[in-house]
Amino acid sequence: MPNNQPKKKFSLNGRNITLILILALVVYIVSTGVYTVKESEQAVIQTFGKYTSTTGPGLHVKLPWPIQEVTILQVQRTQKMELGYYQDDTGIYHSEEDDSLMITGDMNVVNIDFFMEWKISDPIKYLFSSEQPEAILRNLLMASVRSVVGTKSIDDALTTGKYEIQNEVQEMMMEKLEENDIGIQILDVKVNDSEPPIEAVAKAFRDVETAKQEKDMTINRAAEYRNRRLPEAKSQADRLIKDAEAYKASRVAEAEGLRDRYLAIYNEYKNFPDISRNRMYLEVIEKTLPGINVIVDESGQVSKYLPLKPDSSLDPIVADHDNPQETAKGGQ
């Protein structure tokens, strides 16, 4: 038997509207008042825009917006920041020369990229101490990198100085983050890559490297020559010093001997002036006229001379200095 009773139509009466509003309110409260925090996250609760509490992992309930608002942060996740390059959505890396080109301490240009790892250490400070903490972090990284690279040579930036550069950048970043206190912790800083910016600079750098190697070779040859010549020079110097000391000792001994002799002569002369004077006179005559006997009369005048060593083939000759003729007769 067919049912001819008319179907009930839904009408927006007062009761239905109330039920709809209650249902919408329940859905809204559930959707905005229940939140889930993962294991590596923390949630910061704000009540009317003011910090209220921090919750850990799990399912939590809060008052609906706009009474309370929740911000979930990845506090345990290691995040990365690149300087000088970036990776697009397809995984391809692109260079950003505006950030990577830097001037070294020896006034050269180097293209150097950095990779930094960091994480949120304090969610409250991360949210409320600054408006854009990641932008501040990037600016601090750029300033630290340029400050450190600006004190290094191009050799350090391209070769063996990378490890020192990244350590100094990390230390400087830690100091600056401690001063700014934005709730971020630096985990690691690496020099990802460094190279001369253009081929002309690369060629100049190779020339510099060649010159540096030649300089090292020249220094090594000079050191080898020095090591070979230095012992010989030291030996010669020691020999000259010893000869000089021996000569000095001999001259001092000779001078002391002469001094003692003169003092002895002086003392003898002081005690016996006449005898000493005559003896000195005779010594001088003996040196001046070797082989001659000099006879001095009582007046002090030289009157006769005789050979000190008579020749057997000759008769002794006695000459009278005052009478040459008698001397000649005596010779006949």
Side-chain angles (χ1 to χ4, degrees), residues 274-303:
D274 295 335
I275 297 175
S276 299
R277 189 183 301 112
N278 292 334
R279 184 177 60 79
M280 294 171 64
Y281 176 76
L282 292 174
E283 290 177 353
V284 172
I285 293 300
E286 182 180 358
K287 291 180 180 180
T288 306
L289 302 173
I292 302 298
N293 281 336
V294 179
I295 300 174
V296 183
D297 58 12
E298 294 180 356
S299 64
Q301 299 295 326
V302 177
S303 59

Side-chain angles (χ1 to χ4, degrees), residues 229-269:
R229 297 287 297 180
L230 190 59
E232 181 181 351
K234 288 183 177 180
S235 176
Q236 184 177 1
D238 293 339
R239 185 171 63 254
L240 292 175
I241 291 174
K242 290 180 180 179
D243 292 343
E245 290 176 349
Y247 178 75
K248 170 188 172 183
S250 64
R251 294 295 294 175
V252 169
E254 182 180 355
E256 290 177 350
L258 291 175
R259 179 200 62 188
D260 296 339
R261 179 187 173 195
Y262 291 147
L263 289 176
I265 293 174
Y266 172 73
N267 292 330
E268 184 179 356
Y269 177 81

Side-chain angles (χ1 to χ4, degrees), residues 40-148:
S40 62
E41 299 174 339
Q42 284 186 356
V44 178
I45 308 300
Q46 302 175 62
T47 303
F48 295 112
K50 185 178 180 181
Y51 168 74
T52 304
S53 62
T54 302
T55 58
L59 183 65
H60 303 276
V61 178
K62 69 175 183 63
L63 296 177
W65 188 87
I67 300 174
Q68 284 188 331
E69 182 181 1
V70 61
T71 304
I72 299 176
L73 299 175
Q74 299 280 350
V75 294
Q76 298 297 330
R77 184 169 67 92
T78 299
Q79 305 187 57
K80 66 179 182 178
M81 179 175 291
E82 299 95 355
L83 182 65
Y85 69 101
Y86 68 95
Q87 185 179 11
D88 59 16
D89 297 335
T90 61
I92 300 176
Y93 289 94
H94 302 275
S95 177
E96 290 182 328
E97 292 189 352
D98 291 341
D99 295 337
S100 61
L101 288 178
M102 303 179 191
I103 299 177
T104 60
D106 52 0
M107 302 306 294
N108 286 291
V109 179
V110 62
N111 192 347
I112 185 168
D113 302 332
F114 282 83
F115 175 80
M116 182 178 67
E117 293 181 340
W118 62 279
K119 71 175 184 177
I120 299 173
S121 60
D122 191 327
I124 301 173
K125 292 180 180 179
Y126 180 82
L127 287 177
F128 303 114
S129 64
S130 61
E131 184 176 355
Q132 295 179 334
E134 294 187 23
I136 295 175
L137 180 64
R138 185 176 182 84
N139 291 334
L140 291 178
L141 176 61
M142 186 177 298
S144 300
V145 165
R146 295 187 182 278
S147 297
V148 174

